[in-house]
Amino acid sequence: MDLRLPSKVLEHILSFVDSNEDRNSVSLVCKSWFETERRTRKRVIVRNCYAVTPAAVARRFPEMKSLTLKGKPHFADYNLVPDGWGGYVWPWIEAMAAKCPSLEELRLKRMVVTDECLEKIAASFKDFKVLVLTSCEGFSTDGLAAIAVACRNLRELELRECIVEDIGGDWLSYFPETLTSLVSLDFSCLDSEVKLSDLERLLSRSPNLKSLKLNRAVSLDALGSLLRLAPQLVELGTGSFSDKLDQEAVAKLSQAFSELKELKSLSGLWDVLPEYIPLLYSVCPGLTSLNLSYATVQMSDLVELITRCSNLQKLWVMDLIEDKGLEVVASSCKELRELRVFPSGAGLDETNVAMTEQGLVYVSEACPNLESVLYFCVQFTNTAMVTIARNRPNLKCFRLCVMEPFAPDHKTQKPLDEGFKAIVERCKDLQRLSVSGLLTDKAFEYIGTHGKKLRMLSIAFAGDSDLMLHHLLSGCESLNKLEIRDCPFGDTALLENAAKLKTMRSLWMSSCCVSFGACKLLSQKMPKLNVEVIDEHPLETRPDSSPVERIYIYRTLAGPRLDMPEFVWTIHKNPEIGVSHLAIK
Amino acid sequence: MRGGGSEFETGKSNLLPAESELELGLGLSIGGGAWRERGRILTAKDFPSVGSKRAADSSSNQGQGASPPRSSQIVGWPPIGSHRMNKVNNQAMKAAKEEEEEGKKKNEPKDVSVQGLGYVKVNMDGVGIGRKVEMRAHSSYENLAQKLEEMFFRMTGTTTSRKKVKPLRLLDGSSEFVLTYEDKEGDWMLVGDVPWRMFIASVKRLRIMGTSEANGLAPRHQDQKERQRQ
């Protein structure tokens, strides 16, 4: 008797299962569940593009509608990954074009995207709707034009912090007059000016446009007419906020802002002049997200805005806000969930810093929902961290960047071990942690002991010995991504905890003390890991004891990749072949 | 070879080859460009009592509130994405970033030699013969000052002499001598401003000079500012 659930019934049930984590579990139950699940999965996420081959993914999920891919390691954001390392999306687009032509959405992060790729997307996917590129590079505005002209049903085109070869603003004019489906447009990272009339016409025929993020070249004057054409906006990224406007223009702009009844998110505000801050007052009460990280105004002006934003959940700002300003945030923004404070550079030059650890303490005291923090600060203290941990045990993400490497607690001159101990001990749901300042092995013993839910950890200029790495790899059960730079250890801990690396997505170590010999051993011992050595000097002639510049280890089903540049070496699993490029030019 | 035993004693792995003669060092990639020369930096594993010593170091530098003179010259530090870096209106950070971008483009061959011996020449005004001191053998400014005192201020007395030698106090400006150093950029600075580790990475030569002459040197605070403006 066949006791299996009919696949049609199972399909129907699975249509309610959205989360990929759950779907992954479903696919492990038995072969028929695996088959049904894979045929019905619409949204595929591959968090390391080299962990699996494009062909395998295309084969497994033929009904894919949405694909998300991530390429380079996170430290590429800080120029630690040399150009040409990899992360090419072309093979993926080729594979999808052949096997999954009904693909509608592509979301890429830290990948190399060429104009050819964009043209292929435009040509291959008839119903293409969503293109979101974050921290990508390799394409020009010509590629954008190709997307604009061909994708008849385009809904989202977002370029977030991409490096684009900017040939001109013409690309915007390629959106056909028949395109009326636009919901989101973000070209904030582009430099050149788009024609205002093109933009106005586009907005006029996009009644569903909810999110618009302009680039710096869009003047304040132009902003007024754009806002009048899109009062339904929920997210707005302004252009430059610094032209000199006459009184009439200011009044009109103020009126336009007050018409934005749905606005929840505001960003841009480049070069904003203090006298224009009042223009924004009318939208403040409705805002849940405010990005002032490019607004170079002083504390008093920032505070004027913030006191009016009682519903704010997300605030990004520069350290120009000072402790006093953060005190205002604490008293005004009770709904705050995420706070990011970026360095303005002012702190580096002056010894009299007006933003210290105290600012964060204020916010942690008064904002009960605060769960995500990114804080750049010149110095910190253990007491402050202990207080913050006590106030906010619900923290999920704590990234503290004390900007001076090896800086101790500035009051006691002790390492910051105790402070981070309090954080990992109290914040039981902590998933992401970045540490900085003077730290000994003890700090990492604490993290290993208490950081059980920790998934991502970033470390720079810390620790004393191999024990540090050993504590982390043996203690942090949920560890998924570990990135380390300029720390004094490597071999022993790495080799002893080699098995741990199979349970993690990736490990990055640069300017540490990992020897070439250890890399070879590790690679031979662990067949399902790619051990990439990123180093300029030829490895064949190097002694085993020589340290390697960078090492990137990740689990993979795809074997060593074939697109490595000259400076990336993979240690061949077969010891006779030794070290190889396997580069295909 | 460095006091190699320490870091490999804990949990010897049978995966590690028997002769783990590893000449390893902490590379602080100072200066623009990912491929430039790295300096060797002492880590606490070289010294028995870690925490306290280092705490002592830091307190001896008037480290409180000291601006980080080098943090903007380290590759990829502070960890801010280049988009944000470009928009930030700060000369020091911008200049460092540009240098970094340049270095990446040139991709110049890196001299990989982890800095060999950590000996640094020391000269004292009025003393003809210079000495050499092994920087890595010292854990703190105090330590270094003590050694220099031994080298330069006790040699004149005989060993049997019970004459009390005036403590040098090279570091706090209260004696008639000050300790200065030449850094990688060729600038002469007063010793003691930066954290010990960073000092070791950048010191090229030491000089003990008379306070009267040292008055010609800009005061520490200003020095750092000037250098950052370049």
Side-chain angles (χ1 to χ4, degrees), chain A residues 1-2 35 70 90 99 116 167 234 296 301 307 314 334 365 394 455 460 482-483 488 499 509 518 525-526 548:
Chain A
M1 196 165 90
D2 191 346
E35 286 299 310
K70 293 190 187 176
W90 175 257
K99 287 259 158 54
E116 221 186 348
I167 298 175
V234 175
T296 46
D301 300 304
T307 30
K314 180 168 121 167
K334 296 299 185 193
E365 260 159 15
N394 51 321
R455 295 178 57 81
L482 179 57
E483 45 187 25
M509 290 173 66
K525 182 177 160 61
M526 312 293 297
V548 295

Side-chain angles (χ1 to χ4, degrees), chain A residues 153-438:
Chain A
N153 294 314
L154 195 68
R155 275 205 328 242
E156 296 177 30
L157 177 60
E158 294 182 20
L159 309 172
R160 302 176 187 172
E161 310 215 329
C162 293
I163 301 178
V164 184
E165 193 195 334
D166 207 323
I167 298 175
D170 259 354
W171 61 275
L172 194 75
S173 62
Y174 282 82
F175 282 115
E177 292 300 317
T178 48
L179 181 80
T180 55
S181 48
L182 214 53
V183 171
S184 167
L185 179 63
D186 179 352
F187 58 97
S188 52
C189 64
L190 297 182
D191 283 327
S192 58
E193 221 176 301
V194 297
K195 262 211 339 254
L196 184 60
S197 52
D198 286 339
L199 198 47
E200 285 173 337
R201 271 204 307 279
L202 183 61
L203 260 47
S204 312
R205 63 177 189 278
S206 305
N208 297 317
L209 191 71
K210 293 276 182 291
S211 171
L212 177 63
K213 297 193 180 160
L214 307 166
N215 67 353
R216 207 169 183 171
V218 176
S219 66
L220 196 54
D221 206 12
L223 184 62
S225 63
L226 294 172
L227 292 184
R228 274 188 289 283
L229 291 169
Q232 76 283 4
L233 284 178
V234 175
E235 291 182 352
L236 171 65
T238 71
S240 159
F241 225 85
S242 61
D243 316 335
K244 284 296 177 195
L245 294 179
D246 61 37
Q247 250 188 343
E248 197 195 329
V250 171
K252 275 198 177 153
L253 188 54
S254 179
Q255 178 64 25
F257 266 105
S258 62
E259 298 294 323
L260 299 175
K261 305 283 186 215
E262 312 288 327
L263 200 70
K264 294 237 171 326
S265 161
L266 182 62
S267 60
L269 300 173
W270 284 295
D271 320 314
V272 61
L273 296 175
E275 56 256 41
Y276 293 146
I277 297 271
L279 284 172
L280 306 170
Y281 289 170
S282 56
V283 298
C284 288
L287 288 182
T288 55
S289 166
L290 180 57
N291 184 350
L292 292 169
S293 61
Y294 295 113
T296 46
V297 281
Q298 298 311 310
M299 186 260 298
S300 44
D301 300 304
L302 294 170
V303 155
E304 283 300 321
L305 266 184
I306 288 171
T307 30
R308 293 171 159 84
C309 299
S310 50
N311 287 313
L312 216 55
Q313 292 176 18
K314 180 168 121 167
L315 175 63
W316 291 19
V317 72
M318 286 201 276
D319 59 13
L320 298 167
I321 194 166
E322 301 179 7
D323 287 345
K324 281 215 187 84
L326 287 174
E327 210 177 348
V328 173
V329 171
S331 57
S332 313
C333 310
K334 296 299 185 193
E335 305 295 320
L336 200 68
R337 284 178 205 212
E338 178 182 323
L339 175 67
R340 294 197 190 187
V341 180
F342 296 97
S344 57
L348 288 178
D349 289 344
E350 289 145 29
T351 49
N352 191 21
V353 274
M355 199 199 79
T356 69
E357 69 276 4
Q358 189 53 43
L360 187 55
V361 171
Y362 289 141
V363 177
S364 73
E365 260 159 15
C367 302
N369 296 328
L370 186 71
E371 53 181 31
S372 173
V373 171
L374 169 62
Y375 203 75
F376 281 84
C377 194
V378 177
Q379 56 203 15
F380 225 78
T381 64
N382 283 309
T383 322
M385 264 196 271
V386 170
T387 310
I388 292 166
R390 206 180 43 234
N391 290 338
R392 288 277 69 77
N394 51 321
L395 280 176
K396 293 223 172 65
C397 166
F398 186 73
R399 297 161 70 189
L400 176 65
C401 181
V402 177
M403 301 218 284
E404 184 184 339
F406 312 119
D409 176 323
H410 70 92
K411 290 208 174 114
T412 66
Q413 302 308 316
K414 290 208 167 86
L416 290 176
D417 298 346
E418 295 304 310
F420 282 109
K421 175 186 184 197
I423 294 280
V424 288
E425 233 181 352
R426 294 247 179 191
C427 306
K428 305 231 185 289
D429 290 327
L430 196 69
Q431 289 182 10
R432 185 168 177 183
L433 177 66
S434 301
V435 299
S436 54
L438 184 66

Side-chain angles (χ1 to χ4, degrees), chain A residues 78-79 161-162 293 343-345 348-349 403-404 406 461 464 485-486 488 491-492 496 513 521 537 545 549, chain B residues 8 11 15 21-22 25-28 38 43 54 71 75-77 80 83-84 90 100-101 110 195 197 228:
Chain A
Y78 317 129
N79 283 346
E161 310 215 329
C162 293
S293 61
S344 57
L348 288 178
D349 289 344
M403 301 218 284
E404 184 184 339
F406 312 119
F461 308 110
D464 306 317
R485 63 165 294 180
D486 293 275
D491 295 359
T492 316
E496 260 177 37
C513 303
L521 271 173
H537 295 76
S545 56
E549 175 75 23
Chain B
F8 298 104
L15 294 168
E21 285 284 319
L22 297 169
L26 171 61
L28 191 67
R38 287 158 38 194
T43 62
R54 222 181 332 199
S71 82
V75 173
W77 190 265
I80 307 172
H83 259 269
R84 191 167 294 282
N90 175 258
E100 214 176 280
E101 300 293 317
K110 172 179 103 165
R197 281 193 195 180
Q228 278 169 47

Side-chain angles (χ1 to χ4, degrees), chain B residues 19-47:
Chain B
E19 343 71 72
S20 33
E21 285 284 319
L22 297 169
E23 171 71 36
L24 301 173
L26 171 61
L28 191 67
S29 0
I30 293 206
W35 306 105
R36 298 250 194 103
E37 187 178 359
R38 287 158 38 194
R40 174 142 207 271
I41 292 199
L42 279 178
T43 62
K45 72 174 185 267
D46 293 331
F47 311 109

Side-chain angles (χ1 to χ4, degrees), chain B residues 118-124 127 129-135 137-138 143-157 165 168 170 179 206 208:
Chain B
Y119 282 106
V120 155
K121 260 190 153 163
V122 191
N123 289 89
M124 176 165 156
V127 177
I129 298 175
R131 301 290 299 274
K132 269 198 186 159
V133 68
E134 160 66 294
M135 293 308 293
H138 301 282
N143 220 255
L144 176 67
Q146 222 173 354
K147 181 73 180 191
L148 293 175
E149 228 179 290
E150 276 176 315
M151 279 182 170
F152 288 91
F153 292 87
R154 304 218 173 134
M155 65 187 199
T156 48
V165 178
L168 197 53
L170 277 171
L179 184 57
L206 287 169
I208 303 172

Side-chain angles (χ1 to χ4, degrees), chain B residues 188-202:
Chain B
W188 281 92
M189 324 279 302
L190 286 170
V191 163
D193 279 334
V194 307
W196 176 249
R197 281 193 195 180
M198 298 187 88
F199 168 68
I200 308 189
S202 54

